[in-house]
């Protein structure tokens, strides 16, 4: 058998297992309600919440983008580790807060929490649409990520376009059928494979390319310090302003933003109790140690495969060159599942928000919310797939502002729960002002702004406008 | 939640990761000294990643809410 056939055979087998796991997870569930599908019936224990949320945090970006950043810029990519670590600390308090509110008021996603908090279904629908705009680019990122992986591990036999289609089909199939619980079970498979293959790769590649003394690391690190010191401190090598100010502001902004990110919230709400979330705030950060591997290997690739056209392939180029076919296949499966799990939850969350807060808000359709949600999953995935084929750059441009855009939801979602005085008008005015400032800064090429992530000044404007409008109305009402 | 935080003093430990990853930046953004073979910034980030769960655990262990979770009165 050829190498491509072996790698692809392993890959195809695990894709079938993935869909199978989704179906099995469905059979374990007690009911068929929207709550059961969207947030696993609020029944996931500590271990399943761990695999699910770790699975969401370790996406195909970790294999492709992180290695690519390491290859191109060096250490600035560690902001991912930094904001996730800080985000778990914030989540220790925020997770249980959101979980309790959602349980007490029977909410399944951030849009219906906002609708309930402000007694305004239209505001919930607006949040759903807003969040969808900023989530779609992530689906496309994962689709393209998986397409690249499939194409690479097939030694070029499978085209990118077919890779995207496979990604869409597998993900849609298991998410529509099984919902969040299925994602958690697939995450379990994914985490096992990710940990095994990454540790293997972390040993194999340095030994293969840098000799066996100390597994090759002393030689690799020595060469890095001697020949590429620029890569080893902020702002990195030839980076677009990724200095300490950028690192600090992006870490702070993202640490808070991730706690209201709709997919994180899906993980929170799926928990059986608040204790499962507090325990996970302690256990989840350990997973981030794994992120150092693609970063280091990405930097190693700068020696081994210099002048790559696509820096995102830094890690996979070496994997394909150095590893036997069956390990290439397994590593490909791990990377593909790292696309499928987050992409599935992104689509699930979009479906849930629309099914509950946009379409399902109409009384005529209120009893069909789950069916509508599943329909929207297919539509959202198909839309991302179509855009990937027809105008791949639209969503890439949008993805640049995704995190900064989602940050603008912080006052409305989190602030609204903490501060009873916030009014509907304040929330809307703040959200509009913050988003306008963010778009103006990014589109005019001012991100980072004086070395600071543009989302931070935008969020500040958002909060101040919110505060001013809310208190102005509040006094009048008194 | 904010009112109740007064009884949960230990949650100040949650600033730990922010101090390690952000506050320390001006002091750790350097290649030398090499520790355990790692350039200093890489070493520090790895150390911060290992210490982050420790600071969150310290926050949790002093938190009455967390103790109640463990007694099975999960809320």
């Amino acid at each position: 058998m050829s190498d491509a056939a072996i790698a692809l055979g392993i890959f195809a087998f695990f894709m079938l297992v993935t869909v199978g796991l989704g179906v099995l997870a469905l059979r374990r569930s007690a009911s068929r309600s929207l709550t059961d599908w969207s947030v696993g019936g609020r029944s996931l224990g500590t271990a399943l919440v761990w695999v699910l949320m770790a699975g969401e945090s370790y996406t195909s970006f970790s294999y492709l983008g992180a290695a690519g950043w390491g290859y191109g810029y060096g250490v600035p990519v560690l902001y991912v580790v930094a904001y996730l670590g800080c985000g778990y600390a914030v989540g220790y308090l925020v997770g249980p807060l959101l979980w309790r509110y959602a349980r007490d008021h029977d909410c399944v996603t951030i849009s219906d929490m906002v609708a309930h908090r402000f007694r305004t279904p239209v505001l919930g629908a607006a949040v759903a649409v807003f969040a969808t705009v900023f989530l779609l680019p992530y689906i496309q990122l994962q689709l393209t990520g998986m397409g690249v992986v499939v194409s690479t591990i097939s030694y070029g036999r499978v085209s990118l376009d077919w890779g995207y289609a496979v990604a869409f089909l597998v993900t849609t199939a298991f998410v529509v059928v099984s919902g969040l619980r299925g994602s958690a079970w697939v995450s379990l498979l994914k985490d096992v494979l990710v940990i095994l293959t990454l540790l293997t790769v972390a040993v194999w590649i340095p030994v293969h390319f840098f000799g066996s003394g100390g597994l090759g690391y002393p030689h690799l690190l020595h060469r890095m310090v001697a020949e590429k010191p620029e890569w080893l401190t902020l702002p990195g090598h030839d980076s677009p302003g990724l200095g300490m100010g950028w690192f600090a502001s992006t870490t702070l902004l993202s640490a808070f933003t991730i706690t209201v990110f709709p997919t994180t919230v899906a993980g929170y709400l799926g928990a059986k109790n608040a204790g499962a979330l507090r325990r996970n705030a302690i256990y989840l950060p350990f997973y981030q140690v794994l992120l150092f591997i693609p970063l280091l290997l990405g930097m190693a690739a700068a020696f081994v495969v210099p002048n790559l056209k696509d820096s995102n392939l830094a890690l996979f180029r070496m994997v394909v060159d150095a590893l036997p076919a069956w390990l290439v296949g397994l590593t490909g499966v791990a990377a593909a599942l790292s696309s499928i799990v987050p992409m599935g939850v992104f689509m699930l969350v979009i479906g849930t928000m629309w099914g509950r807060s946009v379409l399902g808000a109409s009384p005529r359709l209120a009893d069909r919310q789950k069916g509508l949600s599943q329909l929207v999953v297919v539509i959202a995935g198909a839309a991302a797939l179509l855009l990937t084929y027809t105008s791949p750059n639209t969503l890439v441009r949008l993805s640049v502002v995704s995190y900064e855009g989602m940050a603008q939801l912080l006052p409305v979602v989190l602030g609204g729960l903490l501060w009873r005085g916030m009014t509907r008008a304040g929330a809307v005015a703040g959200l509009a002002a913050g988003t306008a400032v963010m778009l103006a800064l990014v589109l005019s090429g001012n991100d980072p702004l004086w070395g600071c992530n543009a989302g931070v000044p935008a969020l500040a404007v958002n909060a101040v406008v919110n505060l001013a409008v809310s208190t102005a109305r509040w006094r009048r009402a008194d | 939640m904010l009112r109740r935080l007064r009884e949960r003093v230990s949650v100040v430990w949650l600033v730990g990761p922010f101090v390690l990853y952000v506050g320390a930046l001006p002091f750790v953004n350097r290649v030398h000294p090499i520790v355990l073979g790692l350039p200093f910034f890489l070493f520090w980030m790895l150390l911060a990643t290992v210490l982050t769960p420790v600071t969150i655990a310290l926050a949790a262990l002093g938190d009455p809410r967390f103790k109640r979770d463990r007694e099975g009165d999960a809320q």
Side-chain angles (χ1 to χ4, degrees):
Chain A
M1 256 202 305
S2 74
D3 283 352
I6 294 171
L8 277 178
I10 290 172
F11 182 83
F13 169 75
F14 275 100
M15 290 303 102
L16 291 176
V17 170
T18 300
V19 178
L21 264 180
V23 176
L24 275 179
L26 176 77
R27 290 183 53 187
R28 286 175 58 97
S29 73
S31 79
R32 299 279 185 271
S33 66
L34 178 68
T35 308
D36 195 67
W37 182 75
S38 301
V39 292
R42 299 184 221 286
S43 69
L44 309 182
T46 306
L48 270 186
V49 170
W50 191 90
V51 290
L52 178 65
M53 297 193 69
E56 286 176 17
S57 75
Y58 207 91
T59 73
S60 63
F61 171 82
S62 318
Y63 281 90
L64 305 167
W69 275 55
Y71 182 83
Y73 308 137
V75 293
V77 70
L78 284 173
Y79 87 92
V80 178
V81 179
Y83 92 75
L84 286 168
C86 295
Y88 294 130
V90 179
Y92 179 87
L93 294 173
V94 172
L97 176 76
L98 297 178
W99 179 84
R100 186 187 308 263
Y101 190 89
R103 183 204 54 179
D104 290 350
H105 305 292
D106 191 30
C107 300
V108 289
T109 180
I110 58 165
S111 61
D112 64 343
M113 290 170 80
V114 168
H116 183 272
R117 159 65 178 83
F118 294 96
R119 307 269 181 277
T120 313
V122 176
L123 187 54
V127 167
V129 174
F130 183 92
T132 302
V133 170
F134 291 111
L135 278 175
L136 271 180
Y138 283 96
I139 298 182
Q140 194 220 1
L141 272 181
Q142 301 303 332
L143 271 178
T144 43
M146 183 159 159
V148 168
V149 168
V150 175
S151 175
T152 309
I153 63 152
S154 73
Y155 299 82
R157 298 288 169 76
V158 175
S159 74
L160 282 176
D161 284 351
W162 277 104
Y164 304 150
V166 171
F168 165 76
L169 285 175
V170 174
T171 310
T172 314
F174 97 81
V175 162
V176 165
V177 173
S178 72
L180 192 75
R181 190 181 284 108
S183 304
W185 283 103
V186 174
S187 274
L188 184 62
L189 172 67
K190 178 211 141 179
D191 286 332
V192 171
L193 282 171
V194 164
I195 293 170
L196 285 180
T197 57
L198 265 185
L199 291 180
T200 312
V201 167
V203 175
W204 196 300
I205 287 185
V207 170
H208 185 89
F209 291 108
F210 296 93
S212 59
L215 298 178
Y217 280 95
H219 185 201
L220 164 62
L221 291 165
H222 184 78
R223 276 192 71 183
M224 257 164 23
V225 172
E227 296 170 39
K228 297 194 181 284
E230 268 177 80
W231 271 256
L232 299 175
T233 53
L234 302 174
H237 167 74
D238 200 17
S239 77
L242 309 178
M244 276 196 264
W246 170 85
F247 191 98
S249 55
T250 305
T251 300
L252 288 176
L253 184 75
S254 307
F256 284 89
T257 304
I258 192 162
T259 63
V260 299
F261 215 86
T263 49
T264 315
V265 175
Y268 289 159
L269 303 196
K272 185 158 54 175
N273 52 47
L277 296 177
R278 282 191 273 264
R279 278 191 292 277
N280 264 304
I282 302 173
Y283 304 145
L284 275 166
F286 285 113
Y287 206 81
Q288 302 316 318
V289 176
L290 281 182
L291 260 172
F292 284 82
I293 295 175
L295 164 74
L296 267 176
L297 296 182
M299 293 202 280
F303 294 113
V304 177
V305 279
N307 308 320
L308 275 180
K309 223 187 307 156
D310 181 0
S311 65
N312 288 337
L313 285 177
L315 176 60
F316 264 91
R317 200 67 268 153
M318 294 192 298
V319 166
V320 171
D321 287 349
L323 269 55
W326 63 274
L327 259 176
V328 172
L330 273 187
T331 311
V333 172
L337 286 174
S338 301
S339 293
I340 288 175
V341 169
M343 181 162 49
V345 182
F346 287 134
M347 285 158 60
L348 172 94
V349 161
I350 291 177
T352 303
M353 288 193 298
W354 283 73
R356 179 55 82 92
S357 303
V358 182
L359 307 170
S362 133
R364 233 167 9 103
L365 296 169
D367 55 344
R368 321 232 332 240
Q369 286 180 350
K370 187 186 167 196
L372 289 168
S373 301
Q374 288 167 318
L375 181 66
V376 173
V377 164
V378 180
I379 295 173
L385 184 67
L386 204 66
L387 280 167
T388 308
Y389 287 140
T390 55
S391 70
N393 292 325
T394 317
L395 286 177
V396 171
R397 249 177 256 138
L398 207 53
S399 76
V400 176
V401 298
S402 271
Y403 235 90
E404 293 160 27
M406 213 61 93
Q408 305 310 319
L409 287 176
L410 269 169
V412 154
V413 176
L414 191 53
L417 295 190
L418 292 173
W419 180 41
R420 296 265 171 94
M422 187 187 295
T423 64
R424 182 188 316 170
V428 172
L431 183 59
T435 309
V437 171
M438 185 273 293
L439 285 177
L441 285 175
V442 173
L443 296 180
S444 64
N446 282 303
D447 183 22
L449 180 69
W450 302 308
C452 173
N453 185 311
V456 176
L459 182 60
V461 170
N462 180 336
V464 169
V465 169
N466 187 328
L467 198 71
V469 175
S470 290
T471 47
R473 301 250 318 198
W474 188 39
R475 279 198 208 107
R476 219 182 310 150
D478 256 359
Chain B
M1 183 185 89
L2 291 179
R3 239 177 305 128
R4 303 244 175 90
L5 281 185
R6 223 172 294 163
E7 301 151 29
R8 305 170 69 190
V9 188
S10 72
V11 296
V12 297
W13 278 108
L14 295 177
V15 301
F18 289 92
V19 174
L20 289 166
Y21 283 118
V22 178
L25 277 180
F27 311 103
V28 301
N29 190 26
R30 49 200 293 171
V31 176
H32 294 280
I34 308 276
V35 186
L36 302 173
L38 291 170
F40 196 77
F41 188 74
L42 268 180
F43 162 75
W44 181 264
M45 285 286 140
L46 197 57
L47 184 70
T49 306
V50 176
L51 288 181
T52 287
V54 176
T55 64
I56 300 177
L58 284 170
L61 289 176
D63 179 6
R65 236 15 113 76
F66 188 75
K67 283 178 198 151
R68 240 184 300 152
D69 295 339
R70 296 212 292 182
E71 283 152 21
D73 177 26
Q75 272 297 302

